[in-house]
Amino acid sequence: MCGIVGHVGSEQAAPILLDGLRRLEYRGYDSAGVAIHTDGGELKVVRAVGKLRNLEAQLNASPLPGTVGIGHTRWATHGRPSEVNAHPHVAGPIVVVHNGIIENHLALRARLEERGAKIASDTDTELVAHLVHFKVKDGLDLESAVRAALRELHGAYAIAVLSKNEPDRIVVAKSSSPLVLGLGDGATYCGSDIPALLPYTRRMVFLEDGDMAVLTREDASVTRIDTGEKVERAEKHIDWSSVMAEKAGFKHFMLKEIHEQPRAIEDTLRGRLDRENADVHGHEIGLSDADAKAIQRVYLLACGTSHHAAMTGRYYLEQIAKIPTTVELASEFRGRDPIIGPGDLVVAVSQSGETIDTLMAAREAKEKGAKVLAIANVIGSAIPRLADAAFYTHAGPEIGVASTKCFSAQLANLLMLSIWLGRRRGTLDTNGARELVEGLAKLPVQMRDVVIGTRQLVANLAKRYRDARDVLFLGRGLSFPIALEGALKLKEISYVHAEGYAAGEMKHGPIALIDSAVPVIVLMPKDRWYDKTLSNLQEAMAREGQVIGIATEGDEAAQRLTQDVIEIPAVLEALTPFLTVLPLQLYAYYVADFKGTDVDQPRNLAKTVTVE
Ligand code: G6P
C-alpha cells in the first residue's frame, strides 16, 4: 500500500511532498523517495530506505529547490525493501512513482530487455519508466507516451510521471489503486489518499478507473486512457478532519479494515488464479511439481489469529491436496523436539512476518531439514527471509491490532496453496479445481455484500448483548476455527470473556455456562456438518441460551430455531469461512465500540510480538 504525493505550483515542492508522505505514513512503508524539477533545470531523485526522517536528512543535507515534484512511500511488493527498489524510478528523462501491481511484469521485462533497457531494480515500476521512455524516444510527448504505455499494462496501478523535457507538468493515471487530485490556487496536487492533500486544499477530484490526467499549475485535465476522450470529473469539497480522513471516514482503523477485506482478497488473488486452466500460478510457492508430489506431511505453524487461519488451512490441505497436516501453535512446537525432517513442508503463517515464536519454530524446522514456506503480509520481514520461499498475502498494511483483513488474505493463500498442490498430486480434478477457482474469483463481491448487508443487524445485536458476561461461539469442521476467531476478536478488543468451541464438544463442558444471560453464536452454514450443528444448537436453546445463527440464506430451520439469524449467501463449503468470519469481526467491533474501549490499540496487546 504505497503512498503517492505530487505538487505542481509556485511553492517549494520538497516540504509539501514530505508533509504529504508523512500524512500517508499510516499506510505503512519501508522506503521513500522524491523527484523534483530543480530550479537549475535538472530532474533530481533522492531515495532512502526506512523512515521518512532518513529521506528528510538527505534533503536537508542537499536541498532540491524547485516547485514541481512527486514523492512516494513504498510498501514492498516486488523486490525487497532497498534503496535501488525504492521509488521514484528513472529511465532516461522519465521518472515514475507507482502504487499497485503490474501483472504482466515478467513478459514486459523480457520485452524491454530485448529492446536494450538496462533495468536496475527488481520492481515492476521501473519497467513502466522504461516503457514510457521508449515511447518518448519514438517521438511522443509525455502525455501520449504515458497513454501508449498504459495500454500495454495489466494490473492495478496508480502512477505519477515526470519528464525532464516537460518540467511544468505531472501526468497521473489510475486503475484499481486509489488516486485523488487536489485543486489549489495556482497549484495542483495528487495523492493516494485525501489526508496527504488536506492542509493545502479541500477541493478534490476523484479519478475513476481508466482515467489519466495532466496536472499543471492552472488545472487538471482528465481523459480516458483507452479512448483519449476528455472527461469531466466533478470537484468535491472535503470537510473531513485529517484524522477522519486517514480512516477514510470510518471511526476506527479496524472498521475500515473489515470493510477493506474484499479489496484485500482481490489484491491477494490478483495474478495468481489461472482461470483458463482451472489452476493456480504457483511460482512463488518455491516447489517443483516433483517436490509437490513428494511431500509426506505439512506442518502449519502460527500464533494468534494466524493460527486460526492455519487451522482452516488444515482442512484445505487434507481435503483438497490429501496431505496429512498438523497445525501447531508456534510457541508449543518449539522445544518439543518435534519429529520433522526432509519430506515435510512447514508453512509458517504470520501477518507481520516477525512474530518471534513463529520465526524460531520455522528456524528449528529448517534446521531439521524441512522445507519452509512463509505466508506473510510484510515483504522482506524476518520469516520470509528465513524461509525457502514466500507466498505473500497482499492485504496492505493492517493498523488495527486485532487482525481482520490479513486473516482473510491468509485463508486465500492457504486455499490457493492447497489447489496448487492438489493439481500436482492428482487429488483435485479439473472440475473440482474450476469450482474452487471460480468461487474464489467471486468472493470479493460476496464479501462486500455480507459486510454491507449485515452490519446494521450485527450492530443491533451487539447493542443488545454488550453487557453479557460470557459469549460462546460454536462451530464444527471448517467453522470451528472461525468460532475460535470470533471469540478471540471479542476478547481482544471488548475484554468480554468469550469461548470458541467445537460444537460437538459443548456437552463436555461449556454447556454448563449456558443460561438466559449467555449469547451463543452458532456458525451453521449448509455444509456436511450442518445436521450435527443443528442438534447442538437445540441443546443450547433448551438451556435458554440466546442463540444467534450465522446461517445460509433461506435456511428455514435456522429462522425457526434461533432468536436471530445473520445470513450469508450459499457458497462452496471451502469458501464459507471467508463469509462467516465477517459478522463475527463486526460483532466484536460493535461491542467494543459500545463499551468505549480502545478498539485499534486494545490494552496489553501489541500488533507484532517479538518477545517469547
Ligand atoms: C499478536 C497480534 C495478533 C496476531 C498475532 C500473530 O498477538 O495482536 O493480531 O494474530 O500476534 O501475529 P502474526 O504477525 O504472526 O500473524
Side-chain angles (χ1 to χ4, degrees), residues 408-469:
S408 299
Q410 288 167 346
L411 295 184
N413 274 24
L414 287 161
L415 182 50
M416 286 193 284
L417 171 65
S418 307
I419 296 172
W420 185 84
L421 288 169
R423 295 299 277 150
R424 266 114 218 111
R425 294 168 70 91
T427 55
L428 178 64
D429 64 16
T430 313
N431 287 342
R434 176 150 292 126
E435 271 191 345
L436 287 167
V437 167
E438 292 307 312
L440 271 168
K442 274 196 230 127
L443 261 184
V445 172
Q446 291 166 322
M447 292 172 77
R448 190 167 293 129
D449 290 348
V450 171
V451 172
I452 309 278
T454 67
R455 63 187 173 191
Q456 189 55 52
L457 170 60
V458 176
N460 296 345
L461 293 169
K463 193 168 190 185
R464 192 192 307 159
Y465 294 123
R466 68 182 157 181
D467 294 323
R469 188 195 59 223

Side-chain angles (χ1 to χ4, degrees), residues 207-379:
L207 292 183
E208 295 195 0
D209 288 341
D211 281 354
M212 60 183 286
V214 178
L215 315 187
T216 61
R217 289 182 174 86
E218 293 73 43
D219 65 3
S221 81
V222 184
T223 53
R224 298 293 297 161
I225 295 166
D226 50 358
T227 60
E229 183 193 339
K230 198 167 164 42
V231 281
E232 291 301 325
R233 299 281 173 234
E235 183 183 317
K236 300 224 163 71
H237 183 85
I238 303 295
D239 51 12
W240 291 353
S241 70
S242 304
V243 175
M244 267 167 84
E246 274 185 14
K247 295 175 187 157
F250 289 102
K251 190 166 171 191
H252 295 100
F253 280 111
M254 183 184 176
L255 189 60
K256 172 171 176 266
E257 286 159 3
I258 290 173
H259 283 78
E260 270 172 2
Q261 288 179 99
R263 165 58 65 84
I265 295 297
E266 238 164 52
D267 286 349
T268 297
L269 297 178
R270 180 170 295 118
R272 287 160 167 178
L273 292 185
D274 178 358
R275 295 176 74 173
E276 205 174 311
N277 299 304
D279 202 351
V280 163
H281 296 296
H283 56 276
E284 297 155 286
I285 293 165
L287 298 175
S288 66
D289 287 8
D291 292 337
K293 287 198 190 102
I295 296 169
Q296 303 285 320
R297 173 169 285 277
V298 174
Y299 284 83
L300 296 167
L301 308 180
C303 302
T305 288
S306 299
H307 179 251
H308 298 151
M311 287 177 74
T312 316
R314 173 174 54 197
Y315 284 85
Y316 296 154
L317 285 157
E318 292 192 344
Q319 302 291 317
I320 297 167
K322 306 282 182 224
I323 310 178
T325 302
T326 305
V327 187
E328 299 255 9
L329 287 165
S331 55
E332 289 294 314
F333 178 86
R334 300 176 54 199
R336 209 183 63 221
D337 200 11
I339 302 160
I340 188 169
D344 294 328
L345 173 67
V346 165
V347 183
V349 186
S350 169
Q351 177 277 129
S352 61
E354 299 285 348
T355 301
I356 191 82
D357 282 322
T358 312
L359 176 66
M360 292 305 185
R363 179 171 296 158
E364 190 171 331
K366 196 171 175 188
E367 279 162 6
K368 286 175 180 272
K371 268 205 183 316
V372 175
L373 173 66
I375 292 185
N377 198 50
V378 180
I379 309 271

Side-chain angles (χ1 to χ4, degrees), residues 181-196:
L181 309 183
L183 308 176
D185 252 348
T188 307
Y189 307 81
C190 63
S192 300
D193 204 351
I194 296 167

Side-chain angles (χ1 to χ4, degrees), residues 41-321:
E42 287 180 286
L43 178 50
K44 287 256 171 123
V45 171
V46 179
R47 307 184 290 191
V49 174
K51 291 290 157 196
L52 277 169
R53 61 172 176 274
N54 301 345
L55 178 67
E56 192 172 16
Q58 288 200 40
L59 285 167
N60 285 341
S62 357
L64 295 182
T67 57
V68 180
I70 53 181
H72 189 268
T73 42
R74 172 170 188 255
W75 165 269
T77 55
H78 284 80
R80 64 195 178 82
S82 66
E83 191 180 329
V84 75
N85 286 335
H87 300 213
H89 286 282
V90 184
I94 301 300
V95 171
V96 176
V97 296
H98 159 230
N99 168 12
I101 297 169
I102 304 297
E103 275 179 26
N104 55 334
H105 66 100
L106 288 176
L108 185 60
R109 181 176 279 266
R111 211 150 38 86
L112 292 167
E113 281 175 344
E114 238 167 64
R115 280 193 73 180
K118 296 268 168 296
I119 299 164
S121 73
D122 307 320
T123 64
D124 47 354
T125 307
E126 191 187 342
L127 309 180
V128 181
H130 284 283
L131 188 59
V132 175
H133 182 207
F134 278 119
K135 306 289 178 195
V136 168
K137 273 197 199 157
D138 291 342
L140 299 182
D141 63 16
L142 179 61
E143 181 183 0
S144 316
V146 171
R147 187 189 313 285
L150 292 178
R151 288 177 180 166
E152 295 177 30
L153 302 182
H154 306 304
Y157 55 77
I159 61 164
V161 190
L162 298 179
S163 164
K164 184 168 184 291
N165 305 330
E166 299 181 43
D168 62 338
R169 62 194 52 216
I170 306 173
V171 177
V172 301
K174 151 181 166 61
S175 169
S176 294
S177 294
L179 195 70
V180 50
L181 309 183
L183 308 176
D185 252 348
T188 307
Y189 307 81
C190 63
S192 300
D193 204 351
I194 296 167
L197 313 185
L198 272 184
Y200 307 101
T201 181
R202 293 189 168 255
R203 293 165 55 210
M204 310 244 175
V205 172
F206 295 87
L207 292 183
E208 295 195 0
D209 288 341
D211 281 354
M212 60 183 286
V214 178
L215 315 187
T216 61
R217 289 182 174 86
E218 293 73 43
D219 65 3
S221 81
V222 184
T223 53
R224 298 293 297 161
I225 295 166
D226 50 358
T227 60
E229 183 193 339
K230 198 167 164 42
V231 281
E232 291 301 325
R233 299 281 173 234
E235 183 183 317
K236 300 224 163 71
H237 183 85
I238 303 295
D239 51 12
W240 291 353
S241 70
S242 304
V243 175
M244 267 167 84
E246 274 185 14
K247 295 175 187 157
F250 289 102
K251 190 166 171 191
H252 295 100
F253 280 111
M254 183 184 176
L255 189 60
K256 172 171 176 266
E257 286 159 3
I258 290 173
H259 283 78
E260 270 172 2
Q261 288 179 99
R263 165 58 65 84
I265 295 297
E266 238 164 52
D267 286 349
T268 297
L269 297 178
R270 180 170 295 118
R272 287 160 167 178
L273 292 185
D274 178 358
R275 295 176 74 173
E276 205 174 311
N277 299 304
D279 202 351
V280 163
H281 296 296
H283 56 276
E284 297 155 286
I285 293 165
L287 298 175
S288 66
D289 287 8
D291 292 337
K293 287 198 190 102
I295 296 169
Q296 303 285 320
R297 173 169 285 277
V298 174
Y299 284 83
L300 296 167
L301 308 180
C303 302
T305 288
S306 299
H307 179 251
H308 298 151
M311 287 177 74
T312 316
R314 173 174 54 197
Y315 284 85
Y316 296 154
L317 285 157
E318 292 192 344
Q319 302 291 317
I320 297 167

